[in-house]
Structures are given as C-alpha cells and as structure tokens.
Amino acid sequence: MFGPLSALFSSLALLGIAVTVWFERDVNRRQRDESQRQQGLIQQQAFESTFFNLAAQFRALRPTELVDPQSTIGRRSHFSEAAAELAATFVEGSFCEQPADQRESVIADELFDPFYGANVDTLGPYFRLLEQWLLFIEGSVLTAQAKGAYMDLAKAQLSNSDLIVLAVAAMTPTRSSLKRLIETHALLEHLIDQDPTCEFRLAVQGVLPRSSFSSRTNPKWGSAGFTSTVAPPATP
C-alpha cells in the first residue's frame, strides 16, 4: 500500500532537489554575469578617465612656438609655421631620393635632429606623452572595436602640424616605436597639404608604408591580437 506512495514522494523529493540545484546554478550564473558586467563598466570608466586626461595633457603640451634651428639669434615661430617650414625643407631637400639604406640617417642628421635639438625641452615631453597615450589604448582590455574607436578619437586630436612633425620623426632611425605606432594605426591618415606648392604628403608616401596613411591597407588592425572583457563604448 505504502510502496507506490513512498516511491512517489521519493521522486518528488529528488525532483525538488534537482529544481533547487538548477535554480541555485541559474542564480549564481546571473550573479556572475552581473559581476562581470559591473567590472567591465568600472574598467571602461577608469579607461575613459585616463584617456581624456591624457588627451588634455597632450593638448597642453603641444608647442605654441618653436626655435628656428637655422637662426643664429634664436628666432621663434608659431608651431604651425615651424611645421610648414619643416615640410617644405623636406620636399626641397629631395630626401626621398636618397639611397634607402642611407635615407633615415640623412633625414635625421640634416633635418630632424637640428629641429628637435633646438626644441628638445618642448618636443621631448610632447613626443613622450603622445607615445604613452597611444600605447595606453593599445594595452587596454577593451575590444578591438572599442580600441579602434578610441584610436580614431586620438587621431582626431592631431593637427596637421602634429602630423608633419610626426611624419618626419618616423623617418629617422631613433624613432622606431613611434614609427610602429604610425604604421599600425594609420596615424597620418588625415595629413594634408596646406600649401598647394608643397607635396609633402606625396613625398612622405614615397618613404613610409601605405599603412601609415590608411587603416584599410592594414589587415591586422581590428582583428587578431586583442583580448577583450569590455563592451564597445558609447560615443562620448
């Protein structure tokens, strides 16, 4: 008489235990997912705070005036004028026509090193902070898509004068880290020729790889090599 009832109650008890275990696992999974989501939000907020602080510091360190390395009396000119003169000197000097194995050294010795040396106290922190800003984006835990979005924001901060100075620096043998960043992330994408008679971009394209000017030519960007725990950010 009691045999069937006992079996029924035992089955119901086992079913209850199974339901309880499933419910606890579901609750734990939801809690784990929510914890990961909250951690991701915290990481993204921390990243954004640092990113925009570095952007503000970079704008503050951008030179306003630079010393003319050819001047014997320390003549100073506005950053945009100094950059335009640097571009014009590069084109007029026919540096891209130098033998490939000598080109970087000639550009450094005759063009960039005198320009940098006359303004080392200004340009030194400027270059170092820019590299740290870009390396910070690269080394973050954001998705490849999010890194691309923030890299585009950083590139949008660069003026044409910034790009001229960066391009010349990347063509010297001592700026390999900067050159890699330029080639990987197409930092010269927005480089223009403000002076119709100055073919600076065309001249630079004869020296630096195509990937320096367009991310579409670099298949590595936005694909492999990035780990991600954070969802792509909303547009700030």
Side-chain angles (χ1 to χ4, degrees):
M1 174 178 177
F2 293 104
L5 289 177
S6 296
L8 176 63
F9 286 134
S10 296
S11 298
L12 291 175
L14 289 174
L15 178 61
I17 292 173
V19 170
T20 300
V21 171
W22 176 86
F23 181 76
E24 288 179 349
R25 286 183 177 178
D26 184 64
V27 169
N28 290 336
R29 179 183 62 80
R30 290 175 181 272
Q31 289 177 341
R32 184 171 60 253
D33 291 345
E34 178 62 19
S35 176
Q36 290 177 346
R37 190 184 73 84
Q38 291 294 335
Q39 182 180 9
L41 289 175
I42 292 172
Q43 289 176 332
Q44 182 173 325
Q45 290 172 354
F47 173 88
E48 289 183 347
S49 176
T50 303
F51 174 88
F52 289 110
N53 280 336
L54 288 172
Q57 290 179 42
F58 175 74
R59 290 193 297 270
L61 282 176
R62 177 181 284 129
T64 54
E65 291 184 336
L66 292 175
V67 176
D68 181 356
Q70 306 300 325
S71 173
T72 58
I73 59 173
R75 182 178 68 87
R76 307 179 71 89
S77 57
H78 191 272
F79 181 45
S80 59
E81 296 174 354
E85 186 173 344
L86 185 69
T89 304
F90 177 83
V91 174
E92 293 168 1
S94 301
F95 290 99
C96 56
E97 298 176 6
Q98 296 288 333
D101 60 340
Q102 302 176 21
R103 185 185 297 138
E104 288 188 350
S105 296
V106 173
I107 292 173
D109 293 341
E110 298 185 13
L111 185 61
F112 183 76
D113 285 356
F115 176 79
Y116 182 83
N119 299 280
V120 63
D121 290 339
T122 301
L123 293 177
Y126 165 82
F127 276 112
R128 288 192 292 272
L129 183 63
L130 176 60
E131 288 191 33
Q132 289 304 312
W133 186 20
L134 301 178
L135 290 171
F136 171 71
I137 301 172
E138 274 194 342
S140 71
V141 296
L142 301 179
T143 63
Q145 181 181 355
K147 288 182 180 183
Y150 280 110
M151 192 62 71
D152 285 343
L153 282 176
K155 287 160 62 174
Q157 304 281 327
L158 301 177
S159 68
N160 198 57
S161 299
D162 291 322
L163 298 178
I164 290 172
V165 174
L166 294 179
V168 176
M171 292 184 286
T172 63
T174 58
R175 295 286 172 176
S176 57
S177 175
L178 180 62
K179 183 177 181 180
R180 183 195 67 79
L181 289 168
I182 289 175
E183 294 177 5
T184 303
H185 305 295
L187 296 187
L188 303 181
E189 183 175 3
H190 304 301
L191 178 64
I192 60 175
D193 289 323
Q194 292 179 325
D195 183 353
T197 65
C198 176
E199 300 178 349
F200 179 71
R201 179 178 174 122
L202 292 176
V204 173
Q205 286 176 325
V207 179
L208 296 178
R210 291 178 59 198
S211 59
S212 305
F213 302 89
S214 175
S215 55
R216 290 189 295 273
T217 64
N218 190 340
K220 295 182 180 180
W221 173 242
S223 54
F226 297 113
T227 57
S228 173
T229 59
V230 182
T235 302

